[in-house]
Amino acid sequence: MNLLLQNIAVLRDLLDLSLTILIVTRLSRLLKRVLALRILAVLSALVAGHLLARFFSLHTVRLLIDLFLASSVVMLAVVFQTDIRKAFATLTRSRTEKDVEMSDVIDELVFAVAGLAQKRIGALIVIERAIQVDSYLAVGTDIDAKVTSELISSIFLPYSPIHDGAVIIQHGKLTKAGCFLPLTQNLEVSKSLGTRHRAAMGLSELVDAVVVVVSEETGTASIVVGGKKTDVVDMPSLGKTLRRLVEPRWLK
Amino acid sequence: MTQAKSHEWSKGVKALSVLLAVLIWSCVILERPAEMKLNVPVSLERLPSGVWVDSPPPENLQVIVSGPQILLLLLPLRPVRCEVDLSTAGLGEMVIAPTQGSFGLDPELKVVRIFPETVTVVLAQRK
């Protein structure tokens, strides 16, 4: 009986520790990566300092550290008020709402690609996933607009000043257009592929983004992920593939 | 930021999150009350002049101390002793019951039990 109670106590402690790790890890995701490292390092140092001060009965040091720790909660809340507000807004939104939003972005993309392919207008659309693409983009015009098929189609129209480049979709928004992407250095890539496809492959070799390419020569669409090109048979399959590749969290 | 560097940053954030969680958890766990049994030597203090100890008290007392675990961890490494003040003692047999203050412990630590509960000292006139 005693052994059973002891085992329950150990299990309870393990559960407590696991849940604490889960909560802290989830909360740290709210912070920007570079900032997260610094904040987590400072907080860890403060908590470790508290433990040492308590262990060695250094009452004044403990008092100071406890003051810092207590005020750090308020400081973090002030510094990250926008992120916290966003996180709460995301939490309170229902799943169906999120799904509808994701479905909207992908539907608009598929609709635009279908229109462009039909008119044989070349297009290059980058959908950012977990890894940021910003550092690989050359030039480009900042847009920050809702993803709509009309906007995408008008960007790639031949007389548009920013048609010769890629549009970037980050967190479900069209953030940039007319961006030049790094070309693939892979010598095994077929010589028949144009610059647009080479750019799509080049970027997807460096980051985990999904790139949709519309060829102006053939009027076909293809998806490039991880440096590999897959031709799209029809538009419903493009939507299906995009929904499989792009998780809703990357469109938030 | 390259893919490899970004991956490294993510790993760093995860590792620090786990470290912070473990530290927070340790803070809570180590504040739990616990008990510890100690063998505490008895030391006679402020013996009046011209008096000597005819029958010394027991060398050690068994003491059970309770308090937060973090404070108990360091206790075996600290010199804890039971100080018996004899400044007001007269000649003959004296029975002294050690109190919390006799051990000079951290105020957060409580002496739960002392065995034996009293210390008997016999003082005699030095010839």
Side-chain angles (χ1 to χ4, degrees), chain A residues 13 28 33 37 54 206, chain B residues 3 6 9 17 31-32 108:
Chain A
D13 283 350
S28 67
R33 224 174 294 157
L37 262 185
R54 183 98 175 97
L206 297 168
Chain B
Q3 193 170 347
S6 164
W9 279 102
S17 304
E31 286 299 328
R32 278 186 191 166
E108 282 184 67

Side-chain angles (χ1 to χ4, degrees), chain A residues 47-162:
Chain A
V47 178
H50 164 90
L51 269 175
L52 287 174
R54 183 98 175 97
F55 187 67
F56 293 110
S57 298
L58 308 171
H59 300 296
T60 317
V61 177
R62 194 183 136 206
L63 176 81
L64 287 173
I65 291 174
D66 286 356
L67 275 174
F68 273 125
L69 271 173
S71 51
S72 66
V73 177
V74 182
M75 280 195 284
L76 285 175
V78 172
V79 173
F80 294 104
Q81 55 178 311
T82 323
D83 301 79
I84 293 168
R85 207 181 300 140
K86 265 190 206 167
F88 273 113
T90 318
L91 276 177
T92 48
R93 264 190 303 170
S94 67
R95 196 176 175 78
T96 31
E97 260 181 281
K98 283 183 211 164
D99 289 347
V100 165
E101 260 179 39
M102 181 199 174
S103 189
D104 279 353
V105 173
I106 290 176
D107 284 347
E108 293 290 330
L109 266 173
V110 173
F111 200 64
V113 170
L116 291 164
Q118 200 186 11
K119 291 175 202 155
R120 292 204 172 199
I121 296 172
L124 187 54
I125 302 161
V126 176
I127 308 164
E128 186 185 83
R129 292 203 285 183
I131 301 169
Q132 289 194 344
V133 295
D134 298 82
S135 47
Y136 300 100
L137 308 175
V139 292
T141 307
D142 288 337
I143 291 184
D144 197 27
K146 197 181 166 190
V147 178
T148 61
S149 59
E150 293 86 355
L151 180 62
I152 295 172
S153 302
S154 59
I155 287 171
F156 289 110
L157 287 176
Y159 50 79
S160 158
I162 46 174

Side-chain angles (χ1 to χ4, degrees), chain A residues 18-33:
Chain A
S18 314
L19 288 174
T20 313
I21 290 173
L22 183 76
I23 292 167
V24 175
T25 316
R26 297 295 279 187
L27 283 177
S28 67
R29 276 194 200 171
L30 291 176
L31 311 175
K32 286 190 182 91
R33 224 174 294 157

Side-chain angles (χ1 to χ4, degrees), chain A residues 6-25:
Chain A
Q6 264 181 356
N7 283 341
I8 289 173
V10 171
L11 283 176
R12 195 187 51 204
D13 283 350
L14 283 176
L15 179 72
D16 192 22
L17 176 62
S18 314
L19 288 174
T20 313
I21 290 173
L22 183 76
I23 292 167
V24 175
T25 316

